[in-house]
Amino acid sequence: MKFSDVIGQKEAKNRLRELVKEHRIPNTMMLCGPVGSGKLALALAFASYLLGERNDGESLLSDPRAIANAEAMLAKWEHPDLHFTYPVIKPTGTSADHKMTSDDFSQQWHELLLKSPYFSIDTWLTAMDAANQQALIGAGESDELTRKLSIKSSQGGYKVSIIWLPERMNVECANKLLKLLEEPPHQTVFIMVCEEPELLLDTIKSRTQRIDIKRIDDASLEQALIERRAIDAENAHRITRIAGGNWLRALENLDAGNENRQFLDMFIMLMRLAYQRNIKELKKWSKVVATYGREKQRRLLSYTMNMVRENFMYNFQQPELCYMTQEEENFSRKFARFINEANVIDISNLLQKARRDIGQNANAKVVFFDLALQMIVLLIRK
């Protein structure tokens, strides 16, 4: 994968190239940024460059046959010196003695990468048939990674370890990985692709060179929609504005049946029932949301937080500040006045707390019913 395949991110690309040019490649780096910004795509492009793939006609390898060989292996993500670590589930029926590793789902991982390097944890969970399970990186993974990286490079160059979502490591795995980072194997580069760095051990973060990846700039995202998805310029501009630098969100808006439409319905139902103080129906609403998987529940809460923000901004009557679809705006015309200076902060804090509780495996029925009841009180504040 080449840097040119990554949407936007010119600044990050240049910085990565400079690290190579100036021979300052750190043993461990961490690419941090929001969902849909292309962190994994950047990591893959940088790894490919380190392992010999040509970028703008340049390769770190000198032998044309070695370059061609490296590029052929990287085209299928099967280069022996490229190692992937990512969160996995433990399928029902798996032996209690078996420590899950990334290799247990390598086929699904490679299939997903070959489709596109732009995907979310939710897409990955679907690929693993995770149902309601949460994906983690366990101690078995750090043991396996130590074993793999102790082997000499098969091609005589770098060994690259891409760790996707390291914040999902359990404590045992994190501590073992820390030891590996303290004494990294010869010519090994660790690239962590992280969305919630605050969840990582401080001792791990202190041993990484952090590169913050921004949201994709609007011009690059709009151009990508036109060139890669054959969208006309007018629609590409509208979708870009709503996407807010998130390529995955842009793609969702191309899908007529995307999840956000379901979330909009649930948001409207919550707000209407809370305004009506219809506790009986709010309890039913809570039970329905409780049937979603935990990752979907967290996405619903994130969507709701975003809608609260957009409705608050809608009150200022400055269209350039609002980023809503036509359906969302239709509801907000009459509803926005209920989100105001008196309650917007408390509503946002309430939603953030609910999202955090769900992430910590709290009882979903209790969390969402409590959220609904408190929303009754907050909506009447003026």
Side-chain angles (χ1 to χ4, degrees):
M1 180 172 180
K2 303 181 186 300
F3 283 119
S4 58
D5 296 322
V6 180
I7 302 171
Q9 304 301 352
K10 182 178 179 180
E11 183 180 336
K13 293 175 188 176
N14 289 339
R15 183 172 177 182
L16 291 172
R17 288 192 183 101
E18 285 300 314
L19 289 175
V20 176
K21 184 178 179 180
E22 297 172 4
H23 304 288
R24 295 189 297 106
I25 302 172
N27 292 119
T28 307
M29 62 175 60
M30 183 164 62
L31 306 184
C32 299
V35 176
S37 58
K39 303 179 297 298
L40 179 58
L42 267 172
L44 291 167
F46 188 53
S48 298
Y49 187 40
L50 292 178
L51 294 172
E53 184 166 32
R54 284 167 290 190
N55 267 280
D56 297 329
E58 297 180 357
S59 172
L60 297 188
L61 302 177
S62 55
D63 184 350
R65 288 178 298 179
I67 295 172
N69 186 41
E71 290 181 336
M73 293 186 290
L74 288 167
K76 297 181 180 179
W77 300 118
E78 293 178 351
H79 195 291
D81 294 326
L82 176 61
H83 306 283
F84 292 106
T85 294
Y86 37 83
V88 296
I89 61 169
K90 191 164 189 173
T92 303
T94 304
S95 168
D97 296 331
H98 179 68
K99 292 184 177 181
M100 299 299 297
T101 68
S102 298
D103 288 345
D104 290 305
F105 288 93
S106 61
Q107 180 180 344
Q108 292 90 331
W109 177 258
H110 281 82
E111 288 174 354
L112 204 55
L113 281 184
L114 289 171
K115 288 180 182 177
S116 172
Y118 291 84
F119 56 84
S120 65
I121 182 62
D122 310 305
T123 307
W124 174 232
L125 289 170
T126 300
M128 291 190 292
D129 293 323
N132 290 335
Q133 294 189 64
Q134 294 199 69
L136 298 171
I137 302 176
E141 184 65 41
S142 52
D143 293 337
E144 184 65 12
L145 192 58
T146 300
R147 183 192 66 79
K148 289 177 179 178
L149 296 178
S150 66
I151 300 173
K152 186 178 179 181
S153 167
S154 65
Q155 306 300 304
Y158 286 104
K159 291 179 288 184
V160 181
S161 170
I162 295 179
I163 305 176
W164 186 57
L165 303 185
E167 60 266 37
R168 288 180 175 254
M169 290 187 292
N170 64 19
V171 176
E172 186 179 359
C173 177
N175 286 325
K176 288 185 176 182
L177 179 64
L178 177 60
K179 294 180 180 179
L180 189 60
L181 299 181
E182 288 173 339
E183 298 181 13
H186 179 63
Q187 268 198 305
T188 298
V189 177
F190 293 91
I191 308 175
M192 296 186 181
V193 181
C194 189
E195 289 175 2
E196 299 178 284
E198 67 276 6
L199 300 181
L200 277 172
L201 293 178
D202 289 337
T203 45
I204 287 182
K205 288 187 286 187
S206 67
R207 284 167 174 77
T208 68
Q209 180 171 323
R210 175 169 171 167
I211 299 177
D212 288 312
I213 308 302
K214 301 175 183 177
R215 294 185 178 277
I216 302 170
D217 65 280
D218 286 353
S220 296
L221 198 149
E222 189 170 331
Q223 183 180 2
L225 283 170
I226 295 171
E227 295 179 354
R228 303 187 185 196
R229 297 290 169 166
I231 306 299
D232 63 84
E234 183 178 347
N235 279 322
H237 181 71
R238 177 182 60 81
I239 292 171
T240 295
R241 203 164 176 279
I242 294 171
N246 183 335
W247 177 247
L248 297 179
R249 190 176 182 192
L251 296 183
E252 285 174 1
N253 278 279
L254 293 177
D255 177 10
N258 74 71
E259 188 179 65
N260 281 357
R261 284 180 171 80
Q262 180 188 11
F263 288 167
L264 174 60
D265 291 339
M266 298 306 290
F267 173 78
I268 292 173
M269 189 181 302
L270 170 64
M271 296 306 170
R272 283 178 173 167
L273 293 174
Y275 178 74
Q276 296 166 2
R277 302 186 184 186
N278 192 333
I279 295 177
K280 182 178 179 181
E281 290 302 315
L282 283 173
K283 190 168 187 179
K284 289 182 180 178
W285 178 89
S286 304
K287 288 181 178 179
V288 171
V289 178
T291 64
Y292 298 169
R294 291 194 177 272
E295 294 298 335
K296 186 173 181 179
Q297 290 165 0
R298 283 160 59 90
R299 294 197 302 275
L300 171 61
L301 289 166
S302 295
Y303 174 85
T304 304
M305 285 189 281
N306 182 66
M307 283 299 293
V308 167
R309 180 264 179 201
E310 295 300 333
N311 276 269
F312 179 66
M313 298 305 296
Y314 190 86
N315 292 313
F316 292 95
Q317 298 182 356
Q318 295 187 40
E320 68 277 6
L321 297 178
C322 297
Y323 301 87
M324 292 187 284
T325 64
Q326 190 61 56
E327 294 91 340
E328 291 168 346
E329 188 174 342
N330 290 341
F331 174 69
S332 297
R333 284 195 187 99
K334 294 183 178 180
F335 173 73
R337 62 191 176 93
F338 294 100
I339 305 296
N340 50 62
E341 291 89 344
N343 61 17
V344 63
I345 293 177
D346 286 338
I347 291 176
S348 297
N349 289 340
L350 174 64
L351 292 166
Q352 288 174 357
K353 180 180 182 300
R355 191 176 187 277
R356 183 172 62 250
D357 290 344
I358 290 299
Q360 295 173 350
N361 291 323
N363 185 303
K365 288 182 181 179
V366 174
V367 170
F368 282 101
F369 190 45
D370 180 65
L371 166 68
L373 292 178
Q374 292 193 56
M375 196 65 70
I376 293 175
V377 178
L378 292 172
L379 278 183
I380 63 174
R381 284 189 187 173
K382 294 181 180 179

